[in-house]
Amino acid sequence: MTKDFAVGIDIGGTNTKFGIVDRKGNILEQGRMRTDAHDNAEEFIDELYKNLWPLIANHGGTDKFKGIGMGAPNGNIYTGTIEYAPNLKWKGIIPMADMVEKKFGLPTRLTNDANAAAMGEMMYGVAKGMKHFITITLGTGVGSGIVIDGKIVVGHDGFAGELGHVIVRHGGRLHKGTGAYGSLEAYASATGVRETAIEFLTAEPDAPSLLRNYTIDELTSETVYNCAIQGDAIANRIFEFTGEILGEALANFVMFSSPEAIVLFGGLTKAGDLILKPTVQAMEANLIQVFKNKVKVIFSDLKEADAAILGASALVWETDH
């Protein structure tokens, strides 16, 4: 019997998305569930099974499936484990691929979530045909997938390319998940934008802003965006500040691997030019001459859920080669 389908699963800090993918990269059916509603991995997998199994059954059951591919924060492609993920409730080392394989009875491979997104871009997205590019995911955290010579860089232990955790501000903002001060993720993630909003509003208590109409719990990167497009000065400054920090970091990454493009992906990209313009400006300002005006900074054209699901499912088809 031909194995026509693969499952792609993307475990994010807040939501988990999953889908059934055919060999051509079409997502035939998909769903999502909360990641953060589960205090341990066992409960999470039980819930995943409840949601995903009906989709597998709809497409002929396990006989029709080649396997399951997963992307997860701090996912290790060599061991199939999630190790000390700062954005997940589950602490320590979780043998996720083994646990899912036992539950579903299908061969399961796992990699870092941003590497899965980069794989999705390379096979199906704006980076199709590119041999050198970096994907930066701007979501709850900041992830990255680095592609050099057409291969994703994983390093000797499976964890290469954690660009979200590089230090961009000496002695800067505390990252509650890692304990580091001044990392890129503390500023350029959706969580970071919210922190910046709180800092700016507190620093200027008398400055008028639409953001003051929200409680602290209601402040999100989305509310900042909604206020910015209405011309709110503080909201616009938040995006300028975020873009400046991201752009400086991208300049460092460019000088390290000389990519053809940097593909921005994830919730924060919905802010469009509000984030893109200051980012590109700061990147170019911090590049030495030989790198200037050479690297495209582009948004992913894959739907956010799709890229991660496709990239994760690509792990399954990879074993064909």
Side-chain angles (χ1 to χ4, degrees):
M1 190 179 272
T2 56
K3 309 268 184 190
D4 296 328
F5 308 117
V7 175
I9 300 171
D10 170 56
I11 300 177
T14 311
N15 292 303
T16 291
K17 305 165 192 104
F18 47 86
I20 308 297
V21 184
D22 69 15
R23 286 175 180 271
K24 291 190 180 127
N26 300 308
I27 299 177
L28 306 172
E29 205 177 348
Q30 60 179 293
R32 62 194 299 157
M33 57 181 262
R34 296 288 293 204
T35 312
D36 56 7
H38 304 281
D39 291 328
N40 62 60
E42 288 78 11
E43 281 173 21
F44 167 79
I45 289 169
D46 288 344
E47 173 84 0
L48 178 67
Y49 187 82
K50 207 168 77 188
N51 286 288
L52 176 54
W53 184 254
L55 276 58
I56 292 172
N58 284 353
H59 290 86
T62 48
D63 288 348
K64 282 285 195 180
F65 282 77
K66 188 163 165 58
I68 295 173
M70 305 181 78
N74 286 36
N76 188 330
I77 194 160
Y78 294 130
T79 58
T81 51
I82 296 175
E83 304 186 19
Y84 311 106
N87 297 331
L88 295 179
K89 280 183 176 176
W90 325 316
K91 299 303 170 212
I93 297 175
I94 314 285
M96 183 57 76
D98 280 352
M99 290 165 79
V100 169
E101 189 161 316
K102 284 197 182 85
K103 187 81 176 174
F104 285 87
L106 280 167
T108 301
R109 290 186 76 199
L110 173 135
T111 191
N112 172 282
D113 49 354
N115 287 351
M119 212 174 232
E121 291 300 341
M122 191 163 48
M123 288 182 77
Y124 308 110
V126 288
K128 208 170 181 176
M130 285 186 199
K131 291 263 189 284
H132 302 267
F133 72 96
I134 299 173
T135 291
I136 305 282
T137 62
L138 303 169
T140 313
V142 173
S144 59
I146 302 167
V147 174
I148 295 177
D149 290 333
K151 293 188 178 69
I152 290 182
V153 177
V154 292
H156 83 285
D157 60 353
F159 289 113
E162 281 292 348
L163 297 177
H165 296 296
V166 299
I167 302 303
V168 292
R169 287 290 181 274
H170 178 67
R173 187 180 286 169
L174 171 67
H175 184 299
K176 295 180 184 74
T178 63
Y181 287 90
S183 64
L184 181 60
E185 183 166 283
Y187 296 97
S189 59
T191 320
V193 168
R194 173 189 146 80
E195 292 282 322
T196 302
I198 293 166
E199 274 176 27
F200 281 21
L201 291 167
T202 310
E204 298 176 54
D206 301 326
S209 172
L210 296 170
L211 292 166
R212 298 194 193 279
N213 300 334
Y214 299 93
T215 66
I216 278 210
D217 287 342
E218 288 166 344
L219 273 182
T220 63
S221 59
E222 210 167 323
T223 39
V224 176
Y225 169 71
N226 290 335
C227 294
I229 56 174
Q230 291 173 66
D232 187 82
I234 288 184
N236 276 284
R237 268 189 21 237
I238 291 166
F239 279 114
E240 278 157 29
F241 173 79
T242 306
E244 188 180 318
I245 291 181
L246 179 58
E248 281 174 24
L250 295 186
N252 288 334
F253 306 159
V254 165
M255 292 186 281
F256 174 72
S257 74
S258 192
E260 183 181 335
I262 291 172
V263 180
L264 300 180
F265 169 80
L268 215 51
T269 61
K270 292 188 182 86
D273 277 351
L274 285 174
I275 189 83
L276 188 64
K277 278 188 172 155
T279 299
V280 172
Q281 207 174 342
M283 181 183 92
E284 291 294 346
N286 287 284
L287 287 170
I288 58 170
Q289 192 59 49
V290 73
F291 292 108
K292 280 185 188 290
N293 303 312
K294 277 188 180 173
V295 182
K296 297 179 290 207
V297 181
I298 47 181
F299 289 146
S300 169
D301 65 354
L302 293 170
K303 289 211 303 257
E304 198 182 329
D306 292 2
I309 290 170
L310 288 171
S313 71
L315 285 171
V316 175
W317 306 126
E318 247 200 341
T319 57
D320 278 356
H321 307 316

